Amino acid sequence: MILDGNFNPNIEEIIILNKPLTEWFLRNQEWMAYFELTTAGCLHFENSSYASYDVRILGRMAHAAFTWLEGDLPLTNETRALKAAEAIANVYFKNRELLSENAKIQYAIDVENLNITINNNSPKRILQKHNGIKNRRPGKGHRNH
């Protein structure tokens, strides 16, 4: 994996330790660089009236990840990578109802391979809800015929 030059080069060696985190960065680093969401504290679109929810939430996800990746807590690099991936997943699942359909796909992180629990739900259940297996809209649910 090669991070864009706008990112701290020291975090790449941490990111590659976690496959779902690596895949997430590969999909999203171009947009993060474009919107200057490349370090912790990148919440400059949070109160912006012209930024879409997609951009605001990407900023929240980036900030959450970089807080763990660039922080100075005495953690192993593997733990930093896992905590960054967990933080991204938590922001994603907390805000996914606000995201466009494209952003829901683009910003998703593979929680099943993280072996974590998000918001007191099992990762498999959350992944199934995201993939449309569990649909709560009236008249649009999955039929078992």
Side-chain angles (χ1 to χ4, degrees), residues 10-44:
N10 298 329
I11 65 169
E12 185 170 355
E13 65 188 42
I14 301 170
I15 292 170
I16 62 173
L17 296 173
N18 185 289
K19 186 178 178 186
L21 184 64
T22 302
E23 291 169 352
W24 188 86
F25 265 91
L26 286 172
R27 276 195 322 274
N28 294 294
Q29 71 171 332
E30 193 174 309
W31 285 110
M32 292 165 59
Y34 179 81
F35 289 111
E36 298 178 359
L37 306 172
T38 58
T39 61
C42 55
L43 297 170
H44 48 274

Side-chain angles (χ1 to χ4, degrees), residues 40-110:
C42 55
L43 297 170
H44 48 274
F45 288 112
E46 194 61 31
N47 296 318
S48 172
S49 60
Y50 64 89
S52 70
Y53 284 116
D54 291 354
V55 173
R56 292 179 198 178
I57 293 168
L58 181 61
R60 292 175 198 167
M61 295 171 88
H63 169 72
F66 291 128
T67 299
W68 287 105
L69 295 171
E70 298 175 343
D72 58 357
L73 293 172
L75 303 171
T76 65
N77 286 346
E78 291 83 3
T79 302
R80 288 177 188 277
L82 179 62
K83 292 293 187 184
E86 287 176 349
I88 289 169
N90 277 318
V91 172
Y92 176 82
F93 288 112
K94 181 179 178 185
N95 296 285
R96 86 177 149 196
E97 298 301 320
L98 300 172
L99 293 171
S100 69
E101 290 304 312
N102 288 336
K104 285 179 183 178
I105 295 166
Q106 183 76 20
Y107 299 171
I109 189 163
D110 184 4

Side-chain angles (χ1 to χ4, degrees), residues 93 96-97 121 125-126 128-130 132-142:
F93 288 112
R96 86 177 149 196
E97 298 301 320
N121 290 319
R125 181 175 172 168
I126 291 170
Q128 287 174 338
K129 285 181 185 175
H130 171 70
I133 294 170
K134 190 97 169 163
N135 192 335
R136 288 186 244 156
R137 293 182 294 159
K140 302 290 184 185
H142 181 71

